[in-house]
Amino acid sequence: SSLLSRRTPFSVFFLDNISCSSSSEVFWLLAGATWYGPPEGAGSEGGACGYGGAVSKPPYYSMISAGGPSLFLSGKGCGACYQVLCTSNKACSGKPVTVVITDECPGCTSEAVHFDLSGHAFGTMALPGQAQQLRNAGVLQIQYQRVACNWRGTKVTFVVDKGANPYSFETLAEYENGEGEVGFAELKQAGATAWQPMHPRPGSATWVIDSGSPLRAPYSIRLTAPDSKRTIEATNVIPYNWQAGQTYVSNINF
């Protein structure tokens, strides 16, 4: 069922800060849903994908979810957007809301597909004034569908890992429009013509390149979407004087 949801055709809806896409012929699938963290919080205020405190800030606004194995996909599902709704409880609004996979729920295996939503995101599926009543319901049966992300006015942002160095450069990319995930990442050193492949760090959204000699900055990074194979190139996005733990904003997006 997760494969079907990943291949759903897209047309556009607009919900809050996220312009998201869905099928004109809607294919809703069934999943289980729980919530974690503070009732109005952003789950773990970070998560396995590596987005850190950004999940509680724009453009995520705490509308995030940990995913069971079929959604998290060992980190490959990080950044994917889904619409979710519930009708199985009297407190459910029946209206879809959009969430982003930012964390892993390895124990969420009772159903084939399971969303462990932030407390805030879980509450947004409720009727006005009944968010806490819905959160008290326990495990819910919900409906979901994969949708395209459109982070309006936001460019792809690269967060350099705190352990990065000139011999082993590590970064994650956030806010990709469209599929939301990165299927492949490549780096090009200063003065070079060839792109060098990066490899994903298992269980996160971080991409790594190891070198036997110091890499020459500034670095350009090319991202490829996993399904459409579309590519974008962020030229010299990592500056000459880059620092581990810092964030660098590109001027591009899918």
Side-chain angles (χ1 to χ4, degrees):
S1 59
S2 61
L3 179 60
L4 289 174
S5 70
R6 291 170 64 81
R7 305 302 179 187
T8 300
F10 296 135
S11 60
V12 176
F13 291 94
F14 293 92
L15 294 176
D16 301 321
N17 62 300
I18 306 174
S19 166
C20 64
S21 302
S22 181
S23 170
S24 56
E25 184 179 349
V26 178
F27 300 106
W28 291 101
L29 302 170
L30 296 178
T34 48
W35 64 278
Y36 70 118
E40 285 295 341
S44 61
E45 304 294 342
C49 293
Y51 300 148
V55 297
S56 61
K57 302 173 184 177
Y60 292 129
Y61 292 102
S62 301
M63 292 297 292
I64 56 91
S65 180
S70 63
L71 294 173
F72 186 68
L73 300 172
S74 299
K76 295 179 181 178
C78 291
C81 295
Y82 293 88
Q83 280 188 333
V84 295
L85 64 84
C86 74
T87 58
S88 60
N89 185 282
K90 63 182 181 181
C92 293
S93 71
K95 297 180 180 180
V97 299
T98 304
V99 298
V100 185
I101 300 298
T102 63
D103 201 354
E104 177 184 19
C105 184
C108 293
T109 56
S110 296
E111 307 88 4
V113 179
H114 190 100
F115 293 84
D116 196 20
L117 299 151
S118 69
H120 175 72
F122 197 94
T124 62
M125 295 191 294
L127 291 165
Q130 298 189 38
Q132 191 55 45
Q133 182 177 336
L134 188 64
R135 284 191 286 264
N136 290 340
V139 180
L140 285 179
Q141 183 181 79
I142 64 167
Q143 299 176 59
Y144 78 98
Q145 60 175 330
R146 176 72 184 277
V147 295
C149 303
N150 187 350
W151 305 104
R152 291 181 291 182
T154 302
K155 303 301 183 181
V156 174
T157 299
F158 295 90
V159 182
V160 178
D161 191 85
K162 292 180 180 180
N165 60 70
Y167 293 86
S168 180
F169 182 76
E170 307 178 40
T171 186
L172 65 83
E174 293 185 283
Y175 317 132
E176 297 92 345
N177 286 337
E179 294 168 46
E181 305 155 316
V182 175
F184 193 61
E186 299 163 282
L187 181 145
K188 185 164 65 175
Q189 301 181 58
T193 58
W195 291 92
Q196 297 172 265
M198 305 181 76
H199 61 271
R201 180 196 292 166
S204 77
T206 300
W207 290 82
V208 182
I209 183 169
D210 294 312
S211 176
S213 57
L215 296 163
R216 300 184 305 277
Y219 308 144
S220 299
I221 298 178
R222 181 163 67 185
L223 303 177
T224 301
D227 292 338
S228 68
K229 307 305 180 186
R230 290 180 59 198
T231 63
I232 54 173
E233 297 180 7
T235 303
N236 296 333
V237 67
I238 308 299
Y240 175 80
N241 59 343
W242 66 268
Q243 295 182 9
Q246 294 300 304
T247 297
Y248 300 96
V249 181
S250 75
N251 60 358
I252 59 170
N253 211 324
F254 285 98

